[in-house]
Amino acid sequence: MWIVRLALRRPYTVGVMAFLILIMGIMSIKSMFVDIFPVIDIPVVTMIWSYPGLSAVEMEKKVVLLSERGTSSSVNGVEHIESSSQPGIGILRVYFEKGTDIGSSIAQMAATANTSLKSMPPGIGPPVILQFNATNVPVAQLTMSSKTMTEDKIYDYGINFLRLRLFTIPGLATPAPFGGKTRQIIIDADPKALQAKGLSTVDVLNAVQASNIIIPAGTARIGEREYNVALNSSPDVVSDFNNIPVKTVDGQVVRLGEVAKVADAFADQINVVRVDRKRAAYLSILKKIKCIYTYSSGGG
């Protein structure tokens, strides 16, 4: 009740204070920034393993389970772990306690994953570790189509040129395009030709891995000059793959072109984008973590 008595004794003072509060409130509203997508900090980190060709059951037993054991025992602040396995893909979602240093936890997860690689199937690469954020949502979609370019050319332009330009814009994140075809050099081994030469697909794989490499050779000093030496055995054109030696059988060198067919083709397409019933591609533009899109409530 003392507020009422003060207002009755000093009405002008209370009136001026109320007027100042009103003016300051209006000024605050006009200068206040409004975030369309407010930052919601959720301590969740996603770890994605990829090993094409491995079944979901083997992915769970040979990859995901080992990763769960290492993460739960070596990473600090873990609340619980959720995982799912698909053919060729294993996904772990690690939930942390509030107040956990996510940067330090991601570093620990990366170190633990590198240690677990030794017990996993040979040839598997390190996982992709991403910090989950509720505000990392699509803010725009950019569609790419052409009347003259094929969908593989559109995809190539989107991932190698357009995506790189968008990536330099502050606050934007652009993953790989959807749709289109990804270029791949496919080696299709002929079982009958391999059997006739006494070879196997393992011999073909080892030959390609041993020949398609770039080795730093250092320099060579000749007289008063020093030259850089480059040992590049990576084929420049697809037809050069046919000349890769696979193995020597009965004194004769068996080349890759004799037992396999090399083609400049594309990977299996898993998604299709159409614009006006024609094949195309599109880029999903995301908001980066901790980047605020704002507008002034007093602006037009």
Side-chain angles (χ1 to χ4, degrees):
M1 298 297 292
W2 63 272
I3 297 179
V4 177
R5 290 194 294 268
L6 178 63
L8 293 175
R9 288 198 305 267
R10 303 178 181 273
Y12 295 105
T13 302
V14 174
V16 172
M17 293 176 59
F19 181 74
L20 290 176
I21 293 174
L22 177 62
I23 296 298
M24 294 177 62
I26 295 175
M27 294 177 60
S28 299
I29 292 175
K30 287 184 173 295
S31 61
M32 182 182 300
F33 290 101
V34 180
D35 191 357
I36 301 175
F37 301 102
V39 176
I40 304 174
D41 189 12
I42 302 177
V44 180
V45 177
T46 303
M47 179 184 293
I48 305 172
W49 293 91
S50 177
Y51 195 72
L54 198 64
S55 65
V57 176
E58 294 298 324
M59 177 64 71
E60 179 184 4
K61 293 181 180 179
K62 304 296 184 180
V63 178
V64 174
L65 183 59
L66 296 177
S67 182
E68 285 181 352
R69 290 178 179 177
T71 302
S72 60
S73 60
S74 303
V75 180
N76 298 328
V78 176
E79 185 181 83
H80 70 278
I81 301 176
E82 297 178 0
S83 63
S84 60
S85 300
Q86 303 174 12
I89 298 176
I91 302 175
L92 277 76
R93 292 183 179 88
V94 184
Y95 293 79
F96 293 91
E97 299 176 355
K98 293 183 178 180
T100 303
D101 186 359
I102 299 299
S104 176
S105 299
I106 291 176
Q108 293 177 351
M109 290 176 63
T112 303
N114 290 331
T115 304
S116 302
L117 283 173
K118 300 178 181 179
S119 304
M120 294 182 181
I124 188 172
V128 177
I129 301 176
L130 302 172
Q131 180 181 355
F132 173 79
N133 192 280
T135 60
N136 194 6
V137 295
V139 295
Q141 290 183 348
L142 180 62
T143 304
M144 299 173 291
S145 61
S146 174
K147 296 181 179 180
T148 58
M149 298 172 59
T150 58
E151 59 177 326
D152 57 292
K153 299 294 183 182
I154 296 175
Y155 178 88
D156 182 74
Y157 182 81
I159 194 171
N160 292 320
F161 298 97
L162 188 58
R163 178 173 174 265
L164 296 181
R165 293 188 179 183
L166 292 174
F167 187 76
T168 59
I169 300 176
L172 295 184
T174 52
F178 292 91
K181 296 180 179 179
T182 305
R183 184 188 181 193
Q184 276 190 353
I185 307 301
I186 298 178
I187 300 176
D188 188 7
D190 186 353
K192 294 182 179 180
L194 289 174
Q195 185 177 6
K197 299 292 185 180
L199 302 176
S200 65
T201 54
V202 177
D203 296 322
V204 175
L205 177 61
N206 293 335
V208 173
Q209 291 179 341
S211 300
N212 186 26
I213 57 176
I214 299 176
I215 302 176
T219 60
R221 180 169 296 179
I222 302 176
E224 298 179 353
R225 296 177 179 269
E226 187 173 2
Y227 301 90
N228 292 322
V229 179
L231 295 180
N232 183 4
S233 61
S234 180
D236 294 329
V237 294
V238 178
S239 58
D240 290 344
F241 278 88
N242 294 319
N243 299 324
I244 293 178
V246 178
K247 200 172 184 180
T248 302
V249 179
D250 297 330
Q252 295 183 353
V253 178
V254 179
R255 302 188 181 277
L256 184 61
E258 301 176 17
V259 294
K261 180 181 179 181
V262 183
D264 187 356
F266 308 99
D268 293 336
Q269 193 170 0
I270 59 176
N271 51 63
V272 175
V273 176
R274 296 182 185 273
V275 176
D276 296 332
R277 298 182 180 181
K278 295 182 179 180
R279 293 290 185 94
Y282 84 89
L283 280 170
S284 181
I285 302 175
L286 308 178
K287 172 191 173 184
K288 276 186 179 179
I289 297 176
K290 295 183 180 180
C291 182
I292 303 176
Y293 292 86
T294 59
Y295 67 92
S296 177
S297 58

